[in-house]
């Protein structure tokens, strides 16, 4: 059974960089699929942040592209998100998920982690 | 940044059939990209409900069905049950190279 688990600080100061890691179990990232980050502000809808292919190719939401970096560490079976220059608007539950194909669906999701941006 | 429009809420009595619409545009659903649906129970992560417009993953009851036509898609829940009370989101892809989600619909079982 494929499982994903997000980890990282739950509180980040404004203007700093948000860093999260997603650890995958039950499937080897290097074997394929796209691996993505999606966020959900409290009480609001879902927003795709970006995805990375197992080979390292990255795809970012244009609205966040200047601040986002997604990377993969196949040796640890993890992929990571960095979001720079955060503001209160970046406060959200951040999910990692497996993408079946580019432009496709997300079939496995992590439980999500709440990141609050506040001084 | 949702570009797919859903009704904020729908409701129905147990056993009834409800439908949720998802309206896009010529740059996403109308461009031929597939629509997928997720169920989000309170306090939990979204769960894939329908993929490729009308396909159910293993374990999803056949009470849930999806369809797509033109620039819109629909999710139908027949034989509504109390456990179906949740938020539902549609998702597609846009020609601007962005995965797009719907605004979300809260289903209430009366």
């Amino acid at each position: 059974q494929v499982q994903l688990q997000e980890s990282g600080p739950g509180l980040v100061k404004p203007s700093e960089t948000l860093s999260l890691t997603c650890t995958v179990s039950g499937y080897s990232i290097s074997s394929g699929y796209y691996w993505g980050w999606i966020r959900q502000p409290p009480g609001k809808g879902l927003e795709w942040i970006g995805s990375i292919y197992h080979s390292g190719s990255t795809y970012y939401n244009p609205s966040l592209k200047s601040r986002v970096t997604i990377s993969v560490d196949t040796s640890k079976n993890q992929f990571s998100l960095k979001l720079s220059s955060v503001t209160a608007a970046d406060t959200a539950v951040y999910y990692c998920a497996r993408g079946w194909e580019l432009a496709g669906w997300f079939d496995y999701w992590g439980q999500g982690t709440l990141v609050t941006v506040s001084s | 940044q949702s570009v797919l429009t859903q009704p904020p809420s729908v409701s129905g009595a147990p056993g009834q059939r409800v439908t949720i619409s998802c309206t896009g545009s010529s740059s996403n659903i109308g461009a031929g990209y597939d629509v997928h649906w997720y169920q989000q129970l309170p306090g939990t992560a979204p769960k894939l409900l329908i993929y490729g417009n009308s396909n159910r993953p293993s374990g999803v009851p056949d009470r849930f069905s999806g369809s797509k036509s033109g620039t819109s898609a629909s999710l139908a829940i027949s034989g509504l049950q109390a456990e179906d009370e949740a938020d539902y989101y549609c998702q597609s892809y846009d020609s601007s190279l962005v995965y797009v989600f719907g605004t979300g619909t809260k289903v209430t079982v009366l």
Side-chain angles (χ1 to χ4, degrees):
Chain A
Q1 175 74 335
V2 179
Q3 293 184 318
L4 295 87
Q5 177 69 56
E6 305 89 350
S7 59
L11 181 63
V12 181
K13 289 182 169 55
S15 79
E16 296 189 343
T17 296
L18 178 160
S19 296
L20 295 174
T21 296
C22 182
T23 301
V24 180
S25 59
Y27 186 83
S28 174
I29 287 181
S30 59
S31 295
Y33 292 108
Y34 293 81
W35 304 89
W37 289 96
I38 297 118
R39 69 180 182 178
Q40 184 173 35
K44 296 188 178 180
L46 300 163
E47 179 183 36
W48 173 70
I49 300 170
S51 296
I52 188 166
Y53 191 48
H54 68 96
S55 62
S57 299
T58 51
Y59 309 84
Y60 298 136
N61 188 323
S63 69
L64 298 168
K65 187 174 184 176
S66 64
R67 299 194 291 131
V68 175
T69 302
I70 296 177
S71 59
V72 64
D73 186 339
T74 54
S75 67
K76 295 182 178 179
N77 219 34
Q78 297 174 333
F79 61 105
S80 298
L81 168 70
K82 291 188 185 299
L83 180 66
S84 64
S85 305
V86 297
T87 69
D90 295 309
T91 294
V93 174
Y94 285 75
Y95 296 101
C96 57
R98 187 178 82 168
W100 186 260
E101 59 187 20
L102 192 61
W105 59 94
F106 296 97
D107 57 356
Y108 290 98
W109 294 63
Q111 65 184 28
T113 186
L114 174 62
V115 179
T116 301
V117 178
S118 174
S119 56
Chain B
Q1 192 195 353
S2 300
V3 297
L4 303 180
T5 302
Q6 301 178 229
S9 63
V10 299
S11 62
Q16 285 190 329
R17 181 177 187 271
V18 297
T19 61
I20 301 170
S21 61
C22 173
T23 302
S25 68
S26 58
S27 67
N28 40 70
I29 298 175
Y33 292 108
D34 287 341
V35 178
H36 323 293
W37 291 89
Y38 302 88
Q39 177 192 60
Q40 186 174 33
L41 298 171
T44 69
K47 169 193 169 185
L48 181 66
L49 202 61
I50 297 286
Y51 67 94
N53 304 318
S54 60
N55 301 292
R56 287 185 308 276
S58 174
V60 173
D62 59 6
R63 304 185 291 102
F64 295 92
S65 61
S67 63
K68 172 191 163 184
S69 178
T71 59
S72 297
S74 291
L75 173 72
I77 310 174
S78 59
L80 194 62
Q81 298 182 5
E83 65 204 50
D84 299 332
E85 196 160 279
D87 293 327
Y88 293 81
Y89 292 91
C90 58
Q91 177 242 311
S92 186
Y93 193 73
D94 193 271
S95 301
S96 59
L97 308 182
V98 178
Y99 289 84
V100 289
F101 286 92
T103 49
T105 298
K106 181 176 181 60
V107 170
T108 300
V109 181
L110 302 173

